[in-house]
Each structure stands twice: as C-alpha cells, then as structure tokens.
Amino acid sequence: MSFARFALRTASRASYPRVSLTVANRWSRLPPRSSFSAAAGLSKDQIESRVLEVLKGFEKVDPSKLVTSSRFAEDLGLDSLDAVEVVMAVEEEFSIEIPDAEADEITSVQQAIDYIAKTPEGTLQAIFTLLLPFASAGE
Amino acid sequence: MSNSAFSAAHRLYVKSLYKRYLKNSLDWTIMRDQWRAQALDIRADFERNRHIHDPRELATIFAKAEEDLAAKQHPDPVIQPLFPGGTKWERNAPPPTGPIIDHEALEHH
C-alpha cells in the first residue's frame, strides 16, 4: 500500500511544472499553490538582455550586427566551435547545463533565449548568482 | 566536408569533445583570465586538425584525444547547483499537491 501511495505521489509531483507563470487551461483547475514559486523567475526581457550581453563579450561578434533574430553562422559569422563557446557562456550566465543534443539545435540568439525561458532552472538563476560569487570571477 | 555521410554525427561528436575539453580545463582553472589562454590552446589543437577528412586518421586522433582527456579528468568537477550531482539537486522539491487519497475508504481495507 505504501509503495502504491509513494508511486502515486511521485507521479503527481512530477507532473507539476516548477515555474508556471503562464498557466494554460489544463493547469487552471489545479490548486493555486502549485505555482507558488512563480514570482522568482527572470522575465523574458531580462533573459534577452543578458543573452545579448553574453554575446557582446565575444571578440568575433560584431556588436552592430547583434540583434535577437541574428543567427550564429549566417549573420554573426561564428563556426560550430564558436557556437559551442557561446552555449558554454550562456550556460554559465544562467547556471544551467545544456545537453549536447539540445545545444546543437541552438543556432540563433532567439533560440538561446527561448531555451532559457523554457528551462525552469535557467529562470531561477538570479538567486544562485548571489550564492556563487566566484562563478563569474574574472569575467 | 559537408558532403560526407558521417558529417552530422561527426560534427556533433567534435562539438561534444571540444566542450568536454573546455569544461575540464575550466574545472581545473577557475580564474577566467588564466583559463582563457588554455581555451585558446585547446581551440588551436582543434583547428590544427580541421582539414583532416580521412576517417581512419580521424579515428586515431579521437582515440588519442579521449585518452588524453580521461587522463586529466578533474576528480571533482564544477556542477551547477540545480543539476544532477549539484548541491541543490532535488532539494526543496515542491510538496505533493495532488488530491488527498482517502486510504480508509479504499477497497483494500
């Protein structure tokens, strides 16, 4: 019995989003406490400006060409290894880890912003920057 | 290079290898100004083999690189707090918010 209850609870816990700012119809029936952590996240504008800030730090990137719609290879002239460096810098900025397969699909600034926006850990980053003062040392 | 059959998987592998190299050197050298020189060295190593298309030659280079990376792997790498192995991984999980189950009323009792 206890295992069944545990399994049920784990299953129900896993099905709730950790950050649910935009509550779809599917979630609106759930008790409001399931979105208790919503206020801590970064807004889309903050994510956008921070991603752009990261990219400005690259010497190969021409700041005048840098907009959210620019693609790494075609517009910014970055090759695939440069794209790896960009993804690493974005990972560090938002304290997340991006798996290789998903990192390979990020080929433009907008895709990077969207990835951060849909990653719960990425939008919680503001809290952890305070806890990890050495993480951005020397930058 | 783009017309060869293995180019997509190959590109993904090389990117992964490059990232693992960079991450490993960053684990050892946490100060960015000192790490930057190492990153440039790693980049130069990759650029040196840029024009090699022979699969056999590439296989030996990859085997050697993997061996080299395994030999200098950091024993305690930096892991982001919220990710597997991190200090906050699976801590403060949200409490169960599903409907309360009335176990007494279930048929098993």
Side-chain angles (χ1 to χ4, degrees):
Chain A
M1 189 275 291
S2 62
F3 174 75
R5 186 169 60 178
F6 174 73
L8 201 64
R9 286 200 167 185
T10 324
S12 64
R13 181 186 303 178
S15 65
Y16 290 117
R18 287 172 106 181
V19 177
S20 53
L21 269 174
T22 53
V23 185
N25 289 336
R26 199 155 62 92
W27 299 110
S28 59
R29 294 190 304 266
L30 294 173
R33 60 196 162 156
S34 63
S35 59
F36 61 90
S37 63
L42 294 174
S43 73
K44 195 99 177 172
D45 292 341
Q46 285 172 309
I47 295 172
E48 192 179 305
S49 67
R50 288 171 76 150
V51 169
L52 289 176
E53 201 67 34
V54 165
L55 274 157
K56 267 181 215 156
F58 281 82
E59 58 182 347
K60 287 185 186 174
V61 174
D62 183 2
S64 63
K65 288 182 191 166
L66 186 62
V67 285
T68 52
S69 62
S70 42
R71 294 160 297 173
F72 293 158
E74 293 86 349
D75 303 331
L76 299 177
L78 301 175
D79 64 19
S80 57
L81 291 186
D82 292 324
V84 172
E85 290 177 31
V86 169
V87 167
M88 264 190 81
V90 169
E91 278 183 348
E92 281 155 18
E93 174 71 17
F94 293 93
S95 294
I96 56 169
E97 287 171 12
I98 304 178
D100 287 336
E102 292 173 32
D104 192 46
E105 284 163 17
I106 298 176
T107 54
S108 71
V109 181
Q110 189 57 49
Q111 279 170 346
I113 293 167
D114 291 343
Y115 187 89
I116 303 298
K118 78 173 170 66
T119 308
E121 290 87 354
T123 52
L124 288 175
Q125 190 268 346
I127 304 161
F128 295 110
T129 327
L130 302 172
L131 301 176
L132 285 175
F134 60 86
S136 57
E139 282 283 67
Chain B
M1 193 58 205
S2 57
N3 57 3
S4 66
F6 64 102
S7 74
H10 171 79
R11 197 191 72 238
L12 192 57
Y13 175 74
V14 173
K15 284 173 81 168
S16 158
L17 185 67
Y18 182 56
K19 189 170 174 184
R20 282 182 284 142
Y21 256 96
L22 285 182
K23 179 70 174 59
N24 187 49
S25 76
L26 193 55
D27 288 338
W28 285 105
T29 313
I30 204 159
M31 298 305 287
R32 298 310 160 100
D33 49 346
Q34 293 164 29
W35 171 72
R36 189 65 200 146
Q38 296 180 17
L40 290 175
D41 283 347
I42 294 170
R43 177 72 191 233
D45 285 343
F46 276 77
E47 291 289 344
R48 207 170 295 133
N49 299 325
R50 190 186 190 102
H51 299 293
I52 297 176
H53 298 331
D54 176 27
R56 282 171 201 276
E57 204 179 342
L58 281 174
T60 47
I61 290 170
F62 290 152
K64 214 170 143 192
E66 291 286 358
E67 202 179 307
D68 177 46
L69 185 60
K72 57 186 181 187
Q73 195 69 43
H74 197 286
D76 188 14
V78 175
I79 303 174
Q80 301 296 351
L82 284 173
F83 284 80
T87 51
K88 271 185 77 70
W89 166 240
E90 290 191 336
R91 287 176 72 181
N92 297 331
T97 49
I100 297 167
I101 303 164
D102 187 1
H103 291 279
E104 300 286 320
L106 288 178
E107 282 183 21
H108 301 293
H109 291 275

